Amino acid sequence: MKILVTGGAGFLGSHLCTELLKQDHEVICLDNFYTGSKQNVSHLLSHPNFELIRHDVTFPIFLEIEGIFNLACPASPKHYQSNPVQTLKTSVHGAINLLGLAKRTGAKILQASTSEVYGDPRISPQIEEYWGNVNPIGIRSCYDEGKRAAETLFMDYYRQHQVDIRIARIFNTYGPRMAIDDGRVVSNFIVQALMGKDITIYGDGNQTRSFCYVSDLVDGLIRLFFNETTIGPINLGNPTPIPIKDLASEILQLTNSTSKIVFEQLPSDDPIMREPNIDKARQILNWEPSIDRQQGLMKTVEYFKNTIIR
């Protein structure tokens, strides 16, 4: 297939582009480089089936394609809160433009949604049928509500125009090519540990997250995209939660760091627990993560060691 990957030069998008090329698809990588990087796809530039386009999805684009993975949106709080209006536009206008493209070309389109649609959940683990607990006027709302609105648009294009959609709800993902300064907890802790700086935990560290290694997540996205029995939404993530303070301790051990753990105030609307129920992914996609956390963290530490030294 000829497949468009928006946000394709980002952390997750670049791994997706690489895997799609391995599976002999033609890939058009589209990115405005707000948080993505040309360096992430530099190893693909000479590939005969790869094309890179600089473009912002808030503006229409006209291409002839057969499939779309819509990953365009900053995913870390640091970046999406720095320009909240543009974040919301990226989710909403971007969805409208890409769904219009899919409608015109007859392409299949997958929306990379997020566990943030569940907000600060009152149930755990989170199932796809849970409607969430989201503050519509908080500092995270530009991302949370933007992704919720995008899911609404996808479902309405499916019902009204019979567009062939898929919706993936992605939980915390980590691995090589995460940006050093993206503000996400795994990259923050590893970089702080390797540089001998204090490891900063916001809140008391008892809040939980579930971390999925990037290759597992990409596998889940591709399985959902090509599955013909479901449109989703489907949770994709690691179902094993860990308290943030325990993650910090693990990373200190893996890096042999002498950094100290310090605690600061928890930001507004930061969820206390994040844990996916992946029963649907197991049953429908025959998918579950295969890389355990220690193995994935070791690979990620090695990446950051080489990045910081370089």
Side-chain angles (χ1 to χ4, degrees):
M1 293 178 69
K2 179 176 282 189
I3 297 174
L4 171 67
V5 179
T6 68
F11 156 56
L12 183 56
S14 63
H15 285 278
L16 177 61
C17 288
T18 300
E19 186 58 33
L20 289 171
L21 288 168
K22 285 181 182 177
Q23 297 184 14
D24 293 330
H25 300 288
E26 292 182 54
V27 174
I28 300 174
C29 170
L30 185 148
D31 209 295
N32 68 352
F33 301 112
Y34 176 59
T35 57
S37 167
K38 290 181 182 177
Q39 183 64 33
N40 286 339
V41 292
S42 61
H43 63 293
L44 303 177
L45 295 176
S46 62
H47 196 291
N49 288 337
F50 182 77
E51 181 179 355
L52 177 62
I53 298 176
R54 184 169 193 150
H55 183 82
D56 191 312
V57 295
T58 61
F59 298 95
I61 190 165
F62 300 95
L63 299 166
E64 299 305 319
I65 39 82
E66 299 165 281
I68 304 169
F69 285 82
N70 181 30
L71 276 61
C73 191
S76 70
K78 174 183 176 180
H79 290 133
Y80 67 63
Q81 290 173 19
S82 69
N83 194 340
V85 172
Q86 187 62 26
T87 296
L88 193 59
K89 285 182 176 179
T90 299
S91 286
V92 176
H93 293 184
I96 291 170
N97 289 331
L98 293 166
L99 285 162
L101 176 62
K103 179 186 171 188
R104 180 182 68 80
T105 60
K108 181 185 298 184
I109 180 169
L110 180 144
Q111 167 66 6
S113 191
T114 171
S115 60
E116 297 300 327
V117 300
Y118 300 121
D120 187 6
R122 295 291 182 256
I123 67 167
S124 189
Q126 291 83 58
I127 58 174
E128 289 87 350
E129 290 75 19
Y130 178 53
W131 291 356
N133 176 46
V134 177
N135 177 3
I137 58 171
I139 60 171
R140 301 170 68 100
S141 307
C142 58
Y143 185 70
D144 300 3
E145 296 288 30
K147 290 289 191 174
R148 286 163 69 95
E151 285 196 16
T152 300
L153 284 162
F154 268 68
M155 289 304 303
D156 286 340
Y157 267 78
Y158 169 71
R159 287 185 286 246
Q160 186 174 341
H161 300 299
Q162 294 76 54
V163 173
D164 191 6
I165 70 162
R166 303 288 185 274
I167 299 173
R169 289 181 179 161
I170 299 171
F171 283 67
N172 293 68
T173 307
Y174 71 99
R177 298 190 208 139
M178 296 181 82
I180 287 179
D181 63 346
D182 70 0
R184 299 190 223 195
V185 64
V186 171
S187 53
N188 271 5
F189 286 179
I190 291 176
V191 171
Q192 288 168 341
L194 289 175
M195 298 184 73
K197 297 181 178 180
D198 289 343
I199 290 187
T200 308
I201 293 179
Y202 296 96
D204 60 11
N206 288 314
Q207 65 269 39
T208 62
R209 296 291 185 271
S210 303
F211 297 99
C212 185
Y213 191 68
V214 63
S215 61
D216 283 332
L217 199 285
V218 166
D219 178 48
L221 288 176
I222 292 174
R223 287 182 188 227
L224 175 58
F225 183 81
F226 288 104
N227 185 277
E228 299 301 332
T229 65
T230 187
I231 62 171
I234 294 274
N235 288 337
L236 295 176
N238 193 307
T240 305
I242 180 175
I244 293 300
K245 63 182 181 181
D246 291 352
L247 175 71
S249 296
E250 282 190 5
I251 288 173
L252 282 173
Q253 291 176 346
L254 285 172
T255 56
N256 295 313
S257 175
T258 57
S259 295
K260 291 180 171 44
I261 296 174
V262 298
F263 296 86
E264 296 191 5
Q265 185 176 354
L266 189 69
S268 175
D269 297 328
D270 198 59
I272 300 301
M273 51 188 172
R274 184 68 84 230
E275 178 186 347
N277 179 306
I278 62 168
D279 287 349
K280 285 190 175 180
R282 287 185 174 119
Q283 293 162 9
I284 298 171
L285 307 180
N286 192 29
W287 176 89
E288 62 181 323
S290 62
I291 305 292
D292 67 48
R293 189 173 58 248
Q294 182 150 21
Q295 182 183 2
L297 286 175
M298 288 175 65
K299 291 182 179 182
T300 310
V301 166
E302 284 305 309
Y303 168 78
F304 277 110
K305 279 182 180 177
N306 294 331
T307 301
I308 291 170
I309 292 171
R310 191 170 63 226

